[in-house]
Amino acid sequence: MKKDTIFLIIGAVVFAFSLFIPEEAVIVRFVAFLVAFILCGMKVIVSAVKGIIKGNIFNENTLMVVAAVGAFCIKEYPEAVFVVLFYRVGEMFEDYAVRKSRKSISEVMNICPDSANLLVDGKVEAVDPDDVEIGDMIVVGVGERVALDGVVVSGSSFLDTSALTGESVPREVNQGDEILSGCINKNATLTVKVTKSFDDSTVSRILELVETASSRKSSSEKFITKFAKYYTPVVLVCALVLAVVPPLVFKGATFSDFIYRALSFLVVSCPCALVISVPLAFFGGIGGAAKQGILMKGSNYLEALATADTFVFDKTGTLTRGNFKVTKIEPAGYTEDELLTFAALAESHSSHPIAVSIRNAYVEKCLSSCETPVMVTDVTELAGFGIRAVIDGHTVFVGREKLLAEQGIACPAAGTAGTSVFLAVDGVYAGSIFVEDEIKPDTSAAIKSLRKLGIKKQVLLTGDKKETGESLAARLHLDAAFTDLLPADKVTHLET
């Protein structure tokens, strides 16, 4: 790319210099323009020659070369250089847009791990994921990305699946659960039995879809490709007819005059702008979208937006921030401050987003005004259920409804939108805390703007429970909400 750019710049400088050479210096002027033409059009000439060798004679490169040679034949040297210079400048901008797009995509899709921790005879070896075979055991440490798809053999943890699903709430995995490559292990070390090779893994398939986006052409680009295929031979035949037929048919018409006109016709008919502008517009659009974190699998999808009348939204990280906030506290036998204090202290060492939101609420609401217990001991994380802690001699359970159910503690069903965190103190139900994802400040305005643009239907697809999804849809005035969906369910709803 740098080499082509350097040649193009030098060619443009020589071309600019050639424009000031007086017409009297015939040979010098011809040589200067010829050098400029070769420097600027070398890639076009090579492409045309390769096309002819492969049998693809009638393409835009061939037409431009013929037009440029024709311009030289009629001594219109500037036009000959202009044809290839403008085309190459357009290609350079196209290449720049593609590179920017790929760079943006690479930054957004940084989900492919460089190595996998292969377990061999009790020892862990860092190897290339491509070298791991189906059935091998790999170890995924805390903070590491899962290198290959597999099944958890030992360990329990939470996985950050946001890069794959957009869901910011970590997904709990235990022994026997399937996990996908590209996820980040958040809490504890996992031993995983590989079920798919690296080439067939989820992360590889996602990267392949994005990297081959340019192969999925829009109907406009397909039309331009077909147009160039038929347009080139038609123009060449017309030029040939213009050069030969009139001198044979019309009295007084000369071959020299109509050959000049035929060559002029070739120069004028060269479709540089049309051939370049359409693909460049799509590449620029894909690159600009990627810069904003929006990935498109091809220009055909970009073009489809022009006729779209239905928009389907994910919830977490799309309509909402992915930052959770305590919205409601319902104590039973304790004050709101006491309940929040118990929960925050029990969750003091957890990195789960919901735990973080409870601690933030405690800092904001209670830290300066509440009487804080000083003894927090025997903190135990019960994977998939919650936390058990001893606080000032009181045994506190904080977590899901099933955590309290396992302890034989009855609690009321949650009827409020959001995620419910239940508490029990000394074997007695103590209350619940409701945590909800914050709506992005520009979400409502964006949805209203889409309405004004003619989008008739807007739908929410979410893995959250029914109350949460329907509450959000109502607040944002969406047309429908489908809840309790797995990623595969979202695809099914989208297709139907």
Side-chain angles (χ1 to χ4, degrees), residues 311-327:
F311 267 55
V312 178
F313 298 99
D314 184 34
K315 172 184 162 287
T316 308
T318 303
L319 300 179
T320 61
R321 289 179 179 270
N323 296 329
F324 292 87
K325 186 176 183 180
V326 173
T327 56

Side-chain angles (χ1 to χ4, degrees), residues 29-47:
R29 190 167 183 267
F30 172 78
V31 171
F33 278 112
L34 181 62
V35 170
F37 171 72
I38 293 173
L39 288 171
C40 294
M42 180 58 70
K43 191 173 181 180
V44 177
I45 297 169
V46 171
S47 297

Side-chain angles (χ1 to χ4, degrees), residues 380-398:
T380 305
E381 184 169 344
L382 306 172
F385 292 92
I387 300 287
R388 176 189 178 277
V390 177
I391 303 175
D392 273 358
H394 299 285
T395 301
V396 179
F397 287 93
V398 181

Side-chain angles (χ1 to χ4, degrees), residues 145 158-172 182-184 186 313-324 352-354 419 437 440 460-465 468-469 472 482-491:
R145 286 193 183 273
F158 286 90
L159 296 182
D160 178 358
T161 64
S162 58
L164 302 182
T165 65
E167 296 290 346
S168 63
V169 180
R171 181 172 73 90
E172 174 200 353
C183 301
I184 300 175
K186 300 290 289 183
F313 298 99
D314 184 34
K315 172 184 162 287
T316 308
T318 303
L319 300 179
T320 61
R321 289 179 179 270
N323 296 329
F324 292 87
H352 195 284
I354 292 177
T419 300
D437 199 354
K440 289 182 178 180
L460 173 66
L461 302 182
T462 178
D464 285 339
K465 63 184 183 180
T468 302
L472 180 67
F482 297 92
T483 58
D484 295 309
L485 302 178
L486 296 173
D489 300 326
K490 293 181 182 179
V491 174

Side-chain angles (χ1 to χ4, degrees), residues 53-74:
I53 292 173
K54 294 179 180 178
N56 182 23
I57 301 174
F58 301 115
N59 57 63
E60 65 270 18
N61 292 308
T62 304
L63 181 56
M64 277 185 285
V65 172
V66 172
V69 171
F72 268 100
C73 292
I74 61 177

Side-chain angles (χ1 to χ4, degrees), residues 1 22 62 93 99 123 132 135 169 186 188 197 228 230 240 245 319 340 360 393 399 402 469:
M1 181 63 195
T62 304
F93 279 112
R99 291 200 320 274
K123 296 181 180 180
V132 180
V169 180
K186 300 290 289 183
S197 65
Y230 295 106
L240 182 61
V245 174
L319 300 179
L340 186 58
N360 289 340
K402 64 181 181 180

